[in-house]
Amino acid sequence: MDLRRLRYFVALAEERHFGRAAQRLSLSQPPLSHAIRRLEDELGAILFNRTSRRVSLTPAGAALLREARAILQRTENASALVRDVASGRRGRLRVGFSGSTIYRGLPQLLDGLRKSAPDIEVELHEMNSAEQIEALRNDELSLGFVHVSALPSGLQGFRYRSEPFVSCLPRGHAALRESKSRIKLIDLQDEDFILFSRHVSPDYYESIVAICREAGFLPRVRFEVRQWLSVVALVANGGGVALVPGALTKSGPNNVIYAALPKSPILSETWCVWASNAAECSIRGPFLDVVRAYINVK
């Protein structure tokens, strides 16, 4: 069924007058009359009772009017959906993150996107950095927040956050007796360390080893785990000590304490990254705007 003829039909049904309907449609009466006759021939039904003074709907015409309005509305909705998706105002955004990103502003970013682009649906995927990078390269994520020292090959992005490492110790640890805010890292040389797994994040593992090496010792590694929150939980339960990114100071729990370290050039870095995929560019745009605005505000 020709959508153009359906629009002509609805206009005539609502105006009940060929002249007014033609004026509303910005065309002359003969093309409108021809289109309505073609529609009636196509459907095999008379849609209008015509007199010299007025036009009225037949029962068949009244039935078609309900359906025609619904068809045209659905057509308009489909067109609007396609335009919104193409422009990035609507769609599904697949965001990768690690648990610690919750303490690096992720909830605020999601709230900002909800306010600026309410029709974008966010699908969160909790993964470590290595898993995110692989998923991005396989087009399984729209973007991710990975903890690396440099932009991974094959991806685009920008540095989202840089922060110092701090010590994470059980409350009451001997190194904290003299100062509750800062310690000497060398005081931890005889402790068991809990590190982020070298297989999951070689960058984090090597950064922590490098910080200890700067202080004059190599850490005695007792456990390697896959999540920063697991590192903190093990410290809280007497598993050892750790060096963690500063954002983790917001994570608790109550039976651990964080202390600053002497200034080190080695930082924990988080990158906002995505694959070079033109099909995803439009839907990423509004979220990247929120991320960049958040960084500038901070």
Side-chain angles (χ1 to χ4, degrees):
M1 194 178 299
D2 191 320
L3 291 177
R4 178 180 59 87
R5 291 177 191 154
L6 278 185
R7 293 189 183 93
Y8 288 2
F9 164 77
V10 170
L12 182 58
E14 292 176 348
E15 296 294 341
R16 305 296 176 94
H17 189 277
F18 273 94
R20 290 194 299 270
Q23 185 176 11
R24 170 174 157 180
L25 295 167
S26 300
L27 73 164
S28 61
Q29 288 190 41
L32 175 59
S33 299
H34 179 70
I36 296 301
R37 285 196 300 271
R38 289 287 302 273
L39 181 60
E40 290 176 326
D41 291 342
E42 181 179 336
L43 295 175
I46 300 300
L47 302 176
F48 293 98
N49 294 313
R50 302 166 174 84
T51 69
S52 59
R53 300 183 61 182
R54 64 190 299 270
V55 175
S56 61
L57 285 167
T58 65
L64 178 61
L65 180 60
R66 292 190 296 270
E67 298 300 322
R69 283 171 170 162
I71 290 169
L72 292 175
Q73 185 60 58
R74 290 196 64 182
T75 301
E76 178 56 34
N77 291 346
S79 298
L81 173 62
V82 171
R83 290 193 298 269
D84 286 350
V85 170
S87 65
R89 293 191 298 269
R90 188 183 303 190
R92 177 174 295 179
L93 189 73
R94 299 163 296 166
V95 178
F97 75 105
S98 65
S100 61
T101 312
I102 293 171
Y103 305 104
R104 293 181 168 99
L106 180 61
Q108 290 82 359
L109 298 179
L110 296 176
D111 185 58
L113 180 66
R114 179 184 60 81
K115 292 175 180 176
S116 64
D119 291 325
I120 293 180
E121 177 185 351
V122 177
E123 187 178 281
L124 293 176
H125 297 265
E126 186 173 5
M127 304 176 174
N128 61 49
S129 295
E131 291 169 338
Q132 287 186 62
I133 291 169
E134 184 67 18
L136 287 163
R137 289 170 176 164
N138 292 331
D139 194 28
E140 296 168 358
L141 290 176
S142 305
L143 58 85
F145 292 90
V146 298
H147 310 301
V148 291
S149 58
L151 186 65
S153 63
L155 301 181
Q156 298 180 21
F158 52 87
R159 188 180 289 103
Y160 170 68
R161 181 166 175 163
S162 296
E163 57 197 322
F165 285 90
V166 298
S167 63
C168 176
L169 309 173
R171 188 172 292 276
H173 190 278
L176 296 169
R177 289 173 185 168
E178 296 182 2
S179 172
K180 292 185 177 181
S181 61
R182 185 177 295 273
I183 68 167
K184 294 179 180 179
L185 190 54
I186 193 66
D187 293 339
L188 303 179
Q189 63 179 327
D190 296 324
E191 299 284 348
D192 291 328
F193 273 75
I194 303 162
L195 265 66
F196 208 94
S197 170
R198 77 183 80 191
H199 301 295
V200 172
S201 181
D203 285 333
Y204 263 140
Y205 188 94
E206 293 302 328
S207 293
I208 293 171
V209 171
I211 292 173
C212 293
R213 187 183 294 117
E214 279 187 349
F217 70 98
L218 289 177
R220 186 173 68 215
V221 181
R222 182 180 180 189
F223 297 119
E224 294 184 27
V225 297
R226 295 170 57 89
Q227 300 289 343
W228 279 120
L229 297 182
S230 299
V231 172
V232 174
L234 281 169
V235 172
N237 286 277
V241 301
L243 304 183
V244 302
L248 270 293
T249 59
K250 302 174 184 177
S251 69
N254 292 332
N255 50 339
V256 301
I257 192 164
Y258 302 93
L261 298 169
K263 188 173 182 180
S264 169
I266 301 172
L267 299 172
S268 168
E269 295 190 341
T270 304
W271 288 69
C272 178
V273 295
W274 60 91
S276 302
N277 184 341
E280 288 283 1
C281 282
S282 60
I283 194 64
R284 277 197 305 265
F287 189 65
L288 292 179
D289 290 342
V290 171
V291 174
R292 290 186 173 103
Y294 181 77
I295 294 173
N296 291 334
V297 168
K298 287 181 66 65

